Amino acid sequence: MRSLKETLIKFYVNNKLVEKNVTPDETALNFFRNELGLTGAKEVCAEGDCGACTICFGKWCGEKFYYQAINSCLFPAVKLHGSHVITVEGLADGNKLHIIQQLMLENHAIQCGYCTPGIVMAMFCLFVNNSAPNKEDIAAALEGNLCRCTGYRAVLSAALNVSKFLAEAKAKAASFLPVYALEIQTKLKNIDAITHHERPAKIQEILCDYCLPNTLNEAFALMAEKQNNFKIINGGTDLMVQANLQQNYPQAFIDVSRIKEMQEISASAGKIIVGGAVTLSQLAKNELIAKKIPAIVSTLRVMASKQIRNLATVAGNIVNASPVADIACMLLALNAELVICAKDGSRKVKLENFYRDYKVTDLNQAHEIIQAIEIPLPYAFCSFEKSSKRVALDISSVNSAVNIDIKDDVVTACRIAFGGVAKFPALAKKGSEFLCGKKIDTSVIAELQKIIASEFSPISDVRGSAAYRATLIKNHLVKHFNRM
């Protein structure tokens, strides 16, 4: 555990070892462009919405080396240590284009080319992990990449032709990797530990420290040292946006992504326990979640983009306290409970009691961390709904989730949650109570719509008027019950 004034990191980018000092305020994107001269990745939005900065980030996860697409504009350069990064410059073999690049060209999927490197890298990560994706898989992998001039039909055509090439060549996804990749993966098993030292006093432009504790106790010691002048960070998909666009830096970032006791997903006594450092992608791919709570997987499919889900955490989405937090809405319906720990012990708080006001929670951010989320197994019917201008990679105007148990056609238990209609995600308590003991029919649904609409007082903003949101409340209920 050290407070990082300046950090010597070692990692591989394409086929070269990089050993350089980085500062806590430096993003991976700026580091690649300014320090390494790798300008293929572009900065456009600086908040993870466009995908032009997408890179392939690889690291060891247990006994498996895993590559994934990330937004380099949101990724602190200090976290590159011990990784293998592949950028668009590292795909071609001399003058021979990589098959993705070649088929993008042949399918006329390039015009101005500004977004193209990010699209190529998102596609590359897809095929490295799945040699036979279907059309839906391809679309999902490219949701985080915007293209203003070419349009998506040509890009989709290129990806489908890559899939066809793999099938005809009977090639494995691993063959997509450049020839140098496997050797580098082996070398990374023995890479030296991260090295820290004080930044020279004459250089004053540093904005904050970046701290990387390995245990909860180390994190608590850092929190005590920094007092109130720090932010807990993991994926950084919200905090790094503030840093990029507003130059909003605390005295220190305390990064909890390396704390092992916060990285697991397990089952115990009718509950699924999700560690506070588990990412949205890890949750979506977990077999236990897919089998026991498939509604969570459905929620995550329409939440953010692949690049964001690879970095963002469940706990982060909860603590961010957005009124339209998608996974928080689903977890409310599931009656989730937070395990909040501090140096002197831990406590549990029901998620429905966690939010106090707009962006205000029960967490004492001076000394507490969400260590885990405990999720009871769902009732017989569980469903999530989201209304937004785009299907994915968009903030909800309204979201909702229902969790209902039924016996002999009668509702025996019910939890209905809504986001975007109050200061924070909230339960529709009156509506949930009303539905218990009733058989669901059109008259009951009509009455339920009135009751829940009366529980909330939505506001008007850029994502919809109050009247529009009130209508969505009613429409969401119809959609949920049509799935039963």
Side-chain angles (χ1 to χ4, degrees):
M1 176 188 69
R2 289 288 299 273
S3 178
L4 311 186
K5 295 294 185 181
E6 189 175 68
T7 306
L8 175 64
I9 61 171
K10 298 180 182 180
F11 72 104
Y12 285 87
V13 58
N14 300 324
N15 62 346
K16 294 181 180 179
L17 175 64
V18 174
E19 296 184 61
K20 280 186 175 287
N21 292 322
V22 297
T23 58
D25 54 313
E26 195 164 16
T27 64
L29 176 62
N30 288 337
F31 182 72
F32 291 138
R33 293 180 61 83
N34 300 333
E35 297 294 326
L36 304 182
L38 298 173
T39 57
K42 304 293 193 295
E43 180 173 283
V44 179
C45 67
E47 52 186 334
D49 277 345
C50 71
C53 67
T54 301
I55 59 171
C56 178
F57 176 77
K59 63 178 181 179
W60 283 103
C61 297
E63 295 301 313
K64 182 180 178 182
F65 198 89
Y66 186 69
Y67 288 100
Q68 61 184 2
I70 65 169
N71 295 118
S72 59
C73 73
L74 300 179
F75 199 74
V78 71
K79 295 180 73 170
L80 293 169
H81 180 79
S83 69
H84 179 211
V85 172
I86 301 175
T87 68
V88 72
E89 291 90 346
L91 293 185
D93 183 5
N95 292 325
K96 183 182 178 181
L97 294 177
H98 189 277
I99 187 62
I100 292 179
Q101 296 169 312
Q102 185 63 42
L103 289 175
M104 284 282 286
L105 187 64
E106 291 178 8
N107 285 271
H108 310 289
I110 303 167
Q111 284 192 35
C112 78
Y114 208 82
C115 65
T116 304
I119 291 173
V120 167
M121 296 315 300
M123 203 183 297
F124 173 79
C125 290
L126 167 66
F127 283 102
V128 164
N129 292 300
N130 181 1
S131 60
N134 57 33
K135 189 174 181 179
E136 290 71 27
D137 294 330
I138 293 169
L142 296 174
E143 285 171 346
N145 296 84
L146 299 181
C147 179
R148 298 296 187 191
C149 53
T150 305
Y152 302 101
R153 181 175 295 178
V155 173
L156 180 59
S157 178
L160 290 171
N161 278 295
V162 172
S163 187
K164 182 180 179 182
F165 166 83
L166 277 176
E168 291 177 350
K170 296 183 179 179
K172 295 181 179 179
S175 67
F176 251 54
L177 289 171
V179 293
Y180 53 76
L182 294 180
E183 182 181 354
I184 287 174
Q185 293 173 19
T186 301
K187 291 178 178 178
L188 284 174
K189 284 188 174 181
N190 302 312
I191 200 162
D192 296 332
I194 196 166
T195 304
H196 326 297
H197 58 273
E198 291 295 316
R199 188 169 170 82
K202 65 180 181 179
I203 302 176
Q204 300 296 325
E205 69 267 24
I206 186 143
L207 298 173
C208 68
D209 295 342
Y210 201 99
C211 309
L212 284 161
N214 293 308
T215 67
L216 279 168
N217 285 338
E218 289 182 358
F220 295 138
L222 282 165
M223 294 165 75
E225 175 188 329
K226 303 299 180 183
Q227 298 181 2
N228 293 326
N229 297 315
F230 68 87
K231 290 286 186 181
I232 298 294
I233 188 172
N234 192 326
T237 55
D238 182 67
L239 292 178
M240 290 305 295
V241 172
Q242 298 174 34
N244 286 343
L245 301 185
Q246 303 170 17
Q247 295 295 292
N248 184 5
Y249 290 89
Q251 184 190 72
F253 283 123
I254 300 177
D255 187 328
V256 297
S257 62
R258 295 187 175 190
I259 300 177
K260 290 185 178 180
E261 57 259 56
M262 294 174 62
Q263 296 174 352
E264 297 181 352
I265 300 175
S266 60
S268 177
K271 295 180 179 181
I272 306 295
I273 302 169
V274 178
V278 170
T279 67
L280 301 180
S281 285
Q282 289 171 330
L283 191 68
K285 292 183 293 187
N286 184 266
E287 293 181 1
L288 195 60
I289 293 292
K291 182 179 179 180
K292 299 292 186 180
I293 320 179
I296 286 181
V297 180
S298 300
T299 303
L300 295 172
R301 284 197 189 111
V302 294
M303 184 176 174
S305 66
K306 190 74 171 178
Q307 291 96 319
I308 294 295
R309 293 194 296 269
N310 285 338
L311 296 178
T313 63
V314 184
N317 190 251
I318 292 170
V319 173
N320 189 35
S322 167
V324 288
D326 291 325
I327 196 64
C329 181
M330 183 75 255
L331 293 175
L332 269 175
L334 289 166
N335 198 21
E337 192 168 33
L338 308 180
V339 179
I340 298 174
C341 62
K343 184 178 180 179
D344 55 357
S346 63
R347 62 190 178 100
K348 292 186 178 182
V349 178
K350 290 283 187 182
L351 182 56
E352 64 189 85
N353 299 322
F354 183 67
Y355 297 114
R356 300 294 181 86
D357 205 335
Y358 177 70
K359 291 287 186 176
V360 178
T361 72
D362 184 58
L363 188 72
N364 187 329
Q365 298 192 23
H367 68 271
E368 290 185 321
I369 295 174
I370 294 182
Q371 181 180 356
I373 303 100
E374 295 185 353
I375 311 171
L377 297 182
Y379 297 137
F381 174 72
C382 191
S383 170
F384 177 80
E385 185 63 39
K386 171 177 178 173
S387 293
S388 56
K389 292 182 178 180
R390 290 184 290 174
V391 174
L393 192 57
D394 201 2
I395 297 172
S396 301
S397 296
V398 170
N399 55 29
S400 63
V402 301
N403 186 20
I404 297 173
D405 215 4
I406 298 178
K407 186 176 182 179
D408 298 327
D409 295 328
V410 175
V411 175
T412 56
C414 176
R415 291 178 67 88
I416 303 174
F418 274 88
V421 295
K423 294 179 179 180
F424 45 80
L427 285 174
K429 294 182 179 180
K430 293 179 181 178
S432 300
E433 291 172 2
F434 164 80
L435 201 57
C436 287
K438 294 181 174 61
K439 291 185 177 182
I440 298 174
D441 57 29
T442 54
S443 62
V444 168
I445 293 173
E447 185 63 25
L448 180 67
Q449 288 175 315
K450 294 178 183 177
I451 293 172
I452 293 182
S454 70
E455 288 192 68
F456 299 111
S457 300
I459 62 170
S460 297
D461 62 18
V462 295
R463 294 186 183 89
S465 66
Y468 173 64
R469 287 189 163 98
T471 300
L472 286 179
I473 290 174
K474 298 176 181 180
N475 291 350
H476 275 212
L477 292 169
V478 172
K479 287 185 175 182
H480 286 304
F481 291 115
N482 278 344
R483 295 186 183 126
M484 293 188 71

